[in-house]
Amino acid sequence: MTDLLTLAATTATGLPLGITEGGAWLLRNAWLIPALPALSFVGILFFGKRMPRGGSELGIALVGIAFVLSLLTAAAWIDHRDNFEGEEVHRAVAVAEGHGDASGEHADEGHAPGHPSLAVHNTITWFELNDVTFTVGTLVDGPAVMMLVVVTLVSLLVHVYSTEYVAGDRRYTHFFAFLSLFSASMLLLVVSENTLQLLVSWELVGVCSFVLIGHWWEEKPNSDAALKAFLTNRVGDMGLIVGVTILFFTVGSALPGQFGSFSIAETNALAGAGRLSHTALLVASCCLMAAVMSKSGQFLLHTWLPDAMAGPTPVSALIHAATMVVAGVFMIARMYGVFFEGFSIGGSSINLMALIGGITTLIGACLAFVQRDIKKVLAYSTISQLGYMVMALGVGAWTAALFHLFTHAFFKACLFLGSGSAAHAVHSFDMKSDMGGLRKAMPHTYRTFVIGSIALAGLPPLAGFWSKDEILVGTGGWGLFGGTGGNGAYTFMLIMGVITAALTAAYMTRCIYLTFFGEFRGHGNPHESGPRIIVPLWILAGLAIVAGLLNLPKGFPLVPESLQERFGHFVEPVAAYFPGISHGTPSWSLAIASTLVVLSGIGLAGWYYFIKVEAASKAAGRSLTELPDGLTTRYPLAKMGHTFLVQKYYLDHLYTDIIAGGTKGPVAAAAYKVDQDVIDGAVNAVGENAVKAGNLVYHRFDQPVVDGLVNASGRASSGAGWELRRIQTGKVQDYAAILFAAAMVLAGILIVIV
Amino acid sequence: MIAMAALQGFDSLMSGDTVVAQNIAFGILAVVMIVAALRMVTTGNVVHAALYLVIVLAGVAGIFILLGAEFVGVTQVLVYIGAIVVLFLFGIMLTRGALGEDEEADTEKRRMAVLVGVLVLVVTGGAVLDSFGDAAVNRAAPSLTAEIGDTIFSQYIVPFEAVSVLLLAALIGAIVVARKD
Amino acid sequence: MLLNQFLLLAAALFAIGVYGVLARRNGVLVLMSIELILNSVNINLVAFSAVSATVGGEIFALFIIAVAAAEVGVGLAMVLLLYRNRRSIDLTEIDQLRG
């Protein structure tokens, strides 16, 4: 029932055994990969303190095995994908015409004669409730396999790195336990077969993020940051819950005889086949988008991510750069059929997703300029790059977005770990007051950081260039100059992307100058970190260099066609649950133009820091971090802009002061003000006039007649108040007596009447 | 009141041995329970009150069995007498300042409580007599535990899950409220 | 047996329980009286269940037993907290909401 038909066919058609046999087993049993870190979590939790290295060895060993398994799974997937190239195309067509039912179970029942999906489905029934069956299982396809490799690799490197970074920490064992739990949850998320499972793992990674941000909770800012991250994510999670629920019932209404379905493949396939109501899909997409906004730090709900840097640096690298924050992006990619239809992405009109992504990428990049804290620069950079991915998904450049996710994981993890290495040496994250000139003291950190920065900035041939350029191609806005668009012309997104590219290059140049050039401004004598920090750095830097070559554009000269666009070939699902996106055609002119833009960004920032600031430093005799008479001091408008950025667009003020504080502070104050000025004013005016009129009446009529009555009623109410006051004894039993007696009297009346 | 209930029961006393036995059992149980309940709410000794509560709860279990609800009766014994009363005894011991003679409430308060209690009794008793004139409980056979299980796990699965979440919440809540920090 | 027998017994227990809740000063005794009230409701449910020959009432009685267990747990925790903070569980002394 749950086995994959195509895999059964693999052996039946007599393909070479060996990797296929084992590979089929691996693809079917992908649950093993999340299970290993979960096992490690339990092991470390119970026995970690008794292990010679505090549990870290168990975590590294099991995550290492998970990594090896992921690599083998990837190999099996490549084999599986290639051996079905010829057949599945017409299968996909057949299904698009028929019904979009992609799950193995229904194929068994004779719905779909040819299994449409290359994905390996393995589900078991979790529980049944009347007609609804809840399943758990794995859906292994291109994106899942890619994420498995990325998550296990980064997690493994971070585990190794952490053994040095948090060495001697009082909660060393605890740290590794949650690192393992996080890895397990994230891996579970990527192989989730249904949205319910996705939701569970989504919450689990959120909890791990909370625990790890607050790892040093004794300091108030850290626990505040953890709470902020958690609560902001709750806002989005509500969107996820509502969206998943809507989809559940929407799918149920489209399938006769079924109450609902959580199956991702089924939902996407039905959405893609146009069997679901567009309104429901739009609403569900908007709800899911809220979840993406919080988890992936998109504009409006991104404010938690920079604060989350309060956690240990390895956590930032793993959770808040490479893996958890891309969960939102991955979720969009997973539910792409829903989003594609819901937002009409194929229709070239600007949609919510592309807009949010575009805004986020730009505002994140702007904020990165004004940070003093090196990790916050990287945090805003992450927000910006996540915006890039969401924007790419919003314009239909699915493959480009996932490719960017892939490359970004490596170079951003490299940058974070590099910043941690530098901060470890100087015991501070403040670039302006405690860093500078680290180039000589920390050559390895310096080199890897520069490699990561170039990759992030997007200079060829490093990884970031290829993925960023693909996104720009995917916007289709460059149609004028030769290349053609993917899903219509999103020129606006192209412009935002290009501006961000320039900004990214510039702020990374600033960051490198402040950290590694000039003279050392901190205290002590910084020295290079140990091998357990350096080796992961170099591995990630190496990947940052070469990862981009995995997806050379089609038609790239001097490279055999079998090596072009490998990433897209293997990762993009060919299945009924994946919408028919169209791909942009790469263009040389765009590549050259974007490179020039990046170079101009680097050039401008370089000119400012490496020439002007350097000269000013020499003149001043100390290491400066900015020009003493820079733009912000000379022009008030620039100063205002700077302040606006330093205050993070005042969003935190909006949330904490206005929205959160509203119930107790400002709204109350405003209400009071209205009360005082408006109502009281009116009352006073009325009163003054009344007094005048009253004085006339007073002596004639009021005093003898009315006053008598008024005084009597006043005395009566006062007396009643005094009497009633005795009821308010504050004793719970008296209240209970009144409650019971009143209820009984009312019940008695009811009985008598009825 | 009990006399009234007993009198109504005596109408069918003649209709068979079983019924007679059932009614006698009910009468004994009812008298014991009400006496114990009254002692429970009037005794000065807190530990004695807990022991009287045990008698009432055991009586309730007997009533359940009399009504053919064996599973509920057994659960009553297990959960109430086995767990809840023990919990109460621990509560009494931990708040040891209150152990021993508990000074009675002042007379005004007792008068109010008696008044409300009688009001409750009159209204509910009146309503009961008014509504269920002479409906009889004639159960052919005790209810099957298997049937209860089936029904809980099909028709009442959602309340069942809700109760399990409630128990978890109560567990955590009790720990949070009572822990020392 | 008549249904009224059981309902009247339950009503009597309920009234006694109400008296206990209102008259006792000791927090633990008040909680015990609440248990009495819950039990009287259970008698009603089971009696109705027996009359209608369905198990619904019994199941709800079971639910009430579960809820009562939770209630006693939380209630005793509150009494303990009260005792720790004020060295007394006399409910008549807690009147900070007095008007």
Side-chain angles (χ1 to χ4, degrees):
Chain A
M1 173 78 99
T2 54
D3 281 356
L4 178 75
L5 291 185
T6 42
L7 276 174
T10 313
T11 37
T13 46
L15 281 162
L17 297 176
I19 185 170
T20 313
E21 189 96 310
W25 187 86
L26 271 176
L27 290 174
R28 256 187 241 129
N29 292 287
W31 57 269
L32 271 172
I33 298 172
L36 283 169
L39 187 69
S40 146
F41 168 67
V42 176
I44 296 177
L45 205 60
F46 287 111
F47 309 111
K49 287 241 163 78
R50 267 170 264 165
M51 292 182 191
R53 288 177 189 281
S56 59
E57 66 269 56
L58 181 66
I60 291 174
L62 288 180
V63 173
I65 297 173
F67 172 59
V68 172
L69 273 181
S70 302
L71 279 185
L72 291 174
T73 310
W77 173 258
I78 286 169
D79 178 57
H80 175 61
R81 172 73 176 85
D82 270 351
N83 290 329
F84 276 84
E85 183 72 291
E87 249 177 301
E88 45 68 28
V89 174
H90 76 255
R91 279 180 181 172
V93 173
V95 165
E97 285 167 2
H99 30 86
D101 205 340
S103 80
E105 278 177 56
H106 293 273
D108 273 2
E109 287 159 25
H111 279 285
H115 198 281
S117 169
L118 269 178
V120 182
H121 230 88
N122 187 5
T123 57
I124 53 165
T125 301
W126 182 14
F127 63 94
E128 282 178 53
L129 186 57
N130 293 344
D131 302 335
V132 192
T133 311
F134 293 88
T135 57
V136 281
T138 56
L139 175 63
V140 177
D141 60 354
V145 169
M146 183 274 283
M147 287 297 287
L148 285 179
V149 173
V150 170
V151 173
T152 48
L153 173 59
V154 178
S155 175
L156 178 62
L157 293 178
V158 164
H159 269 81
V160 173
Y161 180 99
S162 304
T163 54
E164 181 161 339
Y165 192 85
V166 295
D169 191 89
R170 79 167 82 167
R171 282 188 292 275
Y172 185 81
T173 304
H174 171 271
F175 180 84
F176 276 94
F178 276 93
L179 224 47
S180 286
L181 179 62
F182 170 78
S183 309
S185 326
M186 190 67 205
L187 292 167
L188 179 67
L189 190 145
V190 301
V191 297
S192 283
E193 175 268 343
N194 57 56
T195 45
L196 200 61
Q197 206 179 338
L198 187 90
L199 181 67
V200 169
S201 43
W202 181 279
E203 300 289 353
L204 271 174
V205 293
V207 168
C208 294
S209 159
F210 167 75
V211 171
L212 287 170
I213 293 170
H215 181 68
W216 292 312
W217 47 262
E218 287 89 349
E219 286 159 46
K220 189 82 168 66
N222 295 353
S223 61
D224 281 352
L227 267 182
K228 183 175 181 181
F230 194 68
L231 294 177
T232 314
N233 271 302
R234 297 305 313 157
V235 174
D237 290 353
M238 282 324 290
L240 184 65
I241 292 170
V242 174
V244 163
T245 314
I246 292 175
L247 286 176
F248 175 78
F249 288 112
T250 312
V251 173
S253 69
L255 292 175
Q258 226 177 318
F259 189 62
S261 170
F262 285 115
S263 162
I264 288 174
E266 219 164 62
T267 311
N268 278 331
L270 287 171
R275 300 256 305 271
L276 303 182
S277 133
H278 181 76
T279 319
L281 287 180
L282 179 62
V283 175
S285 303
C286 289
C287 292
L288 295 179
M289 202 57 215
V292 174
M293 279 162 71
S294 65
K295 192 64 97 192
S296 290
Q298 297 299 296
F299 179 61
L300 281 183
L301 293 180
H302 66 272
T303 53
W304 67 272
L305 188 52
D307 285 25
M309 297 302 137
T313 308
V315 170
S316 307
L318 175 63
I319 300 186
H320 305 114
T323 55
M324 186 196 82
V325 288
V326 301
V329 177
F330 179 78
M331 194 264 282
I332 303 180
R334 249 300 176 239
M335 310 294 293
Y336 206 52
V338 172
F339 284 101
F340 197 79
E341 293 301 316
F343 284 140
S344 310
I345 286 169
S348 160
S349 59
I350 288 181
N351 57 57
L352 182 70
M353 195 199 295
L355 194 66
I356 286 177
I359 294 173
T360 308
T361 185
L362 209 52
I363 65 141
C366 289
L367 286 173
F369 269 104
V370 295
Q371 304 302 324
R372 293 172 65 100
D373 182 325
I374 184 169
K375 274 174 79 183
K376 291 219 165 149
V377 174
L378 297 175
Y380 281 112
S381 165
T382 305
I383 290 176
S384 170
Q385 298 300 309
L386 290 167
Y388 235 88
M389 297 171 206
V390 172
M391 182 178 85
L393 287 164
V395 300
W398 189 93
T399 316
L402 261 81
F403 188 45
H404 198 57
L405 189 164
F406 180 71
T407 57
H408 175 260
F410 298 135
F411 58 69
K412 190 51 72 61
C414 173
L415 286 172
F416 263 112
L417 294 183
S419 76
S421 169
H424 203 51
V426 304
H427 305 291
S428 164
F429 287 104
D430 196 319
M431 292 190 294
K432 287 197 173 176
S433 63
D434 296 317
M435 291 190 185
L438 294 177
R439 172 174 93 261
K440 292 165 221 128
M442 314 182 75
H444 291 289
T445 307
Y446 165 64
R447 277 179 223 149
T448 50
F449 199 86
V450 169
I451 291 171
S453 301
I454 297 175
L456 171 61
L459 277 186
L462 272 66
F465 167 74
W466 304 100
S467 51
K468 179 202 69 187
D469 206 55
E470 261 193 63
I471 292 179
L472 295 179
V473 168
T475 58
W478 198 254
L480 289 172
F481 300 92
T484 57
N487 298 278
Y490 290 92
T491 318
F492 183 56
M493 304 307 154
L494 176 74
I495 294 168
M496 286 187 148
V498 170
I499 296 173
T500 305
L503 292 175
T504 308
Y507 69 66
M508 284 319 292
T509 311
R510 169 181 179 268
C511 182
I512 287 178
Y513 177 81
L514 291 180
T515 312
F516 294 106
F517 288 86
E519 293 301 318
F520 183 55
R521 293 180 289 275
H523 313 286
N525 198 11
H527 54 84
E528 185 59 281
S529 309
R532 279 176 291 168
I533 285 183
I534 298 302
V535 170
L537 277 178
W538 273 111
I539 293 173
L540 287 168
L543 284 166
I545 296 174
V546 299
L549 304 177
L550 282 177
N551 206 24
L552 290 175
K554 274 216 173 87
F556 198 77
L558 302 177
V559 172
E561 206 181 324
S562 60
L563 291 180
Q564 290 170 0
E565 215 170 13
R566 288 295 88 187
F567 185 87
H569 173 76
F570 288 118
V571 170
E572 192 171 304
V574 183
Y577 64 78
F578 191 70
I581 55 170
S582 40
H583 300 268
T585 315
S587 101
W588 280 104
S589 54
L590 177 58
I592 293 167
S594 76
T595 308
L596 287 177
V597 165
V598 168
L599 283 174
S600 68
I602 294 179
L604 265 174
W607 172 75
Y608 179 81
Y609 281 105
F610 284 87
I611 296 174
K612 302 273 283 185
V613 176
E614 192 81 6
S617 299
K618 283 216 175 69
R622 63 197 173 88
S623 186
L624 297 178
T625 54
E626 59 196 20
L627 286 182
D629 55 344
L631 282 177
T632 53
T633 41
R634 271 182 289 161
Y635 300 109
L637 193 65
K639 180 75 192 159
M640 270 169 60
H642 185 261
T643 314
F644 189 57
L645 288 178
V646 169
Q647 294 294 335
K648 299 174 269 186
Y649 308 115
Y650 293 97
L651 276 178
D652 273 341
H653 293 280
L654 175 73
Y655 293 154
T656 47
D657 296 345
I658 298 180
I659 296 179
T663 47
K664 50 177 198 277
V667 170
Y672 179 68
K673 197 166 164 46
V674 169
D675 197 51
Q676 286 290 304
D677 294 355
V678 183
I679 300 176
D680 260 25
V683 168
N684 284 344
V686 170
E688 278 163 24
N689 289 319
V691 166
K692 284 175 197 154
N695 268 330
L696 287 174
V697 186
Y698 181 68
H699 297 286
R700 319 271 158 84
F701 167 70
D702 205 68
Q703 198 71 339
V705 185
V706 182
D707 236 36
L709 285 172
V710 168
N711 281 344
S713 71
R715 268 197 295 275
S717 50
S718 167
W722 273 104
E723 287 301 310
L724 282 174
R725 183 174 173 272
R726 287 172 51 202
I727 300 178
Q728 301 293 329
T729 54
K731 289 175 190 153
V732 66
Q733 286 169 316
D734 293 352
Y735 296 134
I738 296 169
L739 172 77
F740 275 115
M744 283 308 140
V745 168
L746 290 177
I749 292 171
L750 194 71
I751 292 166
V752 170
I753 292 175
V754 181
Chain B
M1 199 281 312
I2 283 308
M4 195 156 43
L7 272 179
Q8 284 174 346
F10 277 107
D11 290 345
S12 47
L13 253 183
M14 298 302 133
S15 57
D17 287 347
T18 334
V19 180
V20 175
Q22 279 178 347
N23 277 310
I24 291 171
F26 175 83
I28 294 169
L29 280 176
V31 171
V32 169
M33 280 163 72
I34 286 176
V35 170
L38 284 172
R39 288 295 295 143
M40 188 198 109
V41 295
T42 49
T43 179
N45 189 315
V46 191
V47 178
H48 288 181
L51 298 177
Y52 281 122
L53 180 66
V54 172
I55 297 178
V56 180
L57 296 175
V60 172
I63 294 284
F64 287 162
I65 289 167
L66 202 58
L67 281 166
E70 290 164 350
F71 183 67
V72 187
V74 172
T75 312
Q76 168 90 5
V77 173
L78 282 179
V79 176
Y80 265 110
I81 302 173
I84 292 181
V85 171
V86 174
L87 211 56
F88 274 125
L89 289 172
F90 270 103
I92 292 165
M93 278 188 261
L94 289 171
T95 58
R96 63 196 174 288
L99 188 64
E101 288 298 312
D102 180 51
E103 69 268 56
E104 269 289 331
D106 47 76
T107 43
E108 191 192 350
K109 199 168 172 189
R110 279 173 70 189
R111 215 167 39 221
M112 171 193 78
V114 168
L115 208 70
V116 176
V118 170
L119 185 63
V120 167
L121 181 58
V122 167
V123 173
T124 44
V128 163
L129 287 176
D130 190 37
S131 313
F132 305 100
D134 49 1
V137 182
N138 288 320
R139 193 152 215 183
S143 65
L144 293 173
T145 306
E147 194 191 346
I148 293 178
D150 274 350
T151 319
I152 286 185
F153 288 107
S154 57
Q155 197 181 346
Y156 293 101
I157 182 75
V158 176
F160 177 76
E161 296 291 342
V163 164
S164 52
V165 174
L166 174 91
L167 283 176
L168 179 68
L171 176 77
I172 296 169
I175 291 169
V176 170
V177 169
R179 73 174 170 175
K180 288 196 175 87
D181 47 21
Chain C
M1 289 184 295
L2 289 175
L3 179 59
N4 269 346
Q5 285 169 260
F6 296 96
L7 300 188
L8 286 173
L9 172 66
L13 288 180
F14 190 94
I16 295 170
V18 167
Y19 170 82
V21 169
L22 298 185
R24 302 315 296 248
R25 303 170 63 170
N26 187 322
V28 178
L29 287 174
V30 169
L31 281 177
M32 287 185 198
S33 305
I34 291 175
E35 292 309 307
L36 205 57
I37 293 180
L38 287 171
N39 267 281
S40 74
V41 174
N42 270 356
I43 294 181
N44 274 4
L45 282 171
V46 174
F48 285 128
S49 179
V51 167
S52 65
T54 54
V55 293
E58 291 178 29
I59 287 167
F60 272 93
L62 289 172
F63 284 152
I64 288 179
I65 291 175
V67 171
E71 175 253 323
V72 169
V74 177
L76 279 176
M78 284 164 66
V79 171
L80 281 186
L81 189 68
L82 202 63
Y83 180 71
R84 208 180 299 136
N85 287 338
R86 306 177 63 116
R87 290 284 127 189
S88 156
I89 49 173
D90 189 339
L91 294 182
T92 54
E93 288 173 14
I94 308 163
D95 54 358
Q96 276 149 337
L97 284 178
R98 190 212 302 268

